[in-house]
Amino acid sequence: RDISFQLDAGASIAVVGPSGAGKSTLTSLLLRFWEYQQGEIDFGGQPLKSYAAEDLRAQMAVIPQQAYLFNASLRENICLARPDASDAEVEDAAKQAEIHDFVTGLSEGYDTFIGEQGVRLSGGERQRVAIARAILKDAPLLLLDEPTAHLDVRTEQDVLSSLFALMRGKTALLITHRLIGLDAVDEILVLDRGKIVQRGKQAELTREAGLYRQLYQLQHQILPEG
């Protein structure tokens, strides 16, 4: 409701807020899983609805909270983004996602089958496959939808390091309820009940009274003074 923001080329925005704030709704609208009834969303200067859904999604590399993986080889799962990619391009993407050493340590390397939904991989390894897939696709917009939601704290920190390296210099929209490492984004939008209630950089938002500081203190176990 009454949401307005602009994500410039090469910039990054994080959308944060409690459960039910509207973060997932925003993702569904951008990917045209849902259609908006009022207002307008432009992508590349054109109305979002002027794109066929398939053409629009081809312009976005999405890293979801749980990547869809096939019961196929690691190479095939990474190549889902670009089936015509060369072995060298796949390996370069895996190196940037920091999963190449793990893969080469397996007896069958990139030809290793990972099971349905990547059951033979850990949560962190599955997310790194998704990161490699996004790197290989190299789409104009990088959309990260709760990419560390199901990871333990240590794995989350390692994966976030790779994600923020990937976001650097790219047009990126990060949807998250986890307020970790957000000093790396250009702007933070704080959603609550479908509206933007705060916006700014992390240093500003942690200083001023409001929802962001409350959430930040809860997640970092910071007790208010007095």
Side-chain angles (χ1 to χ4, degrees):
R1 291 176 292 138
D2 303 320
I3 283 179
S4 179
F5 67 91
Q6 179 169 316
L7 175 56
D8 295 322
S12 58
I13 286 179
V15 181
V16 307
S19 297
K23 303 187 301 297
S24 297
T25 299
L26 182 59
T27 305
S28 296
L29 291 173
L30 291 173
L31 290 168
R32 290 200 66 189
F33 293 141
W34 297 350
E35 295 290 4
Y36 51 93
Q37 303 304 314
Q38 296 178 349
E40 192 60 84
I41 301 175
D42 288 342
F43 182 77
Q46 300 295 323
L48 200 70
K49 291 181 179 179
S50 70
Y51 294 87
E54 184 176 336
D55 293 339
L56 178 69
R57 292 167 196 159
Q59 301 298 309
M60 302 181 185
V62 182
I63 302 179
Q65 56 183 285
Q66 191 163 342
Y68 189 84
L69 301 178
F70 296 93
N71 185 16
S73 70
L74 277 160
R75 186 188 313 278
E76 290 171 307
N77 272 282
I78 295 173
C79 275
L80 186 66
R82 266 183 54 208
D84 61 344
S86 67
D87 289 350
E89 289 172 321
V90 171
E91 292 180 16
D92 182 60
K95 287 175 182 175
Q96 291 184 59
E98 298 185 21
I99 197 174
H100 175 74
D101 290 346
F102 163 76
V103 176
T104 54
L106 300 172
S107 59
E108 296 182 71
Y110 282 89
D111 295 321
T112 301
F113 273 64
I114 61 174
E116 194 67 37
Q117 282 297 326
V119 68
R120 297 179 183 172
L121 303 178
S122 70
E125 289 156 0
R126 287 194 291 270
Q127 286 306 83
R128 290 191 183 280
V129 170
I131 294 170
R133 188 185 284 171
I135 292 169
L136 191 63
K137 187 172 184 178
D138 194 28
L141 176 63
L142 179 61
L143 179 58
L144 304 99
D145 185 9
E146 301 281 10
T148 63
H150 301 300
L151 303 180
D152 62 76
V153 174
R154 179 174 295 180
T155 304
E156 177 184 44
Q157 291 176 336
D158 291 341
V159 170
L160 279 173
S161 177
S162 297
L163 287 173
F164 283 120
L166 171 60
M167 289 169 62
R168 198 171 298 125
K170 291 185 177 294
T171 309
L173 185 65
L174 170 61
I175 311 290
T176 183
H177 72 283
R178 297 285 290 140
L179 310 184
I180 298 177
L182 298 187
D183 54 325
V185 301
D186 295 309
E187 185 179 22
I188 299 170
L189 306 180
V190 186
L191 283 187
D192 188 29
R193 300 179 185 180
K195 302 188 74 171
I196 296 175
V197 294
Q198 288 179 285
R199 62 198 308 161
K201 291 185 174 292
Q202 176 158 279
E204 302 165 354
L205 294 173
T206 51
R207 283 197 302 266
E208 66 183 46
L211 179 59
Y212 188 89
R213 191 166 74 177
Q214 293 173 19
L215 296 171
Y216 187 89
Q217 290 176 338
L218 283 171
Q219 291 186 20
H220 294 78
Q221 296 183 330
I222 299 173
L223 297 176
E225 296 179 4

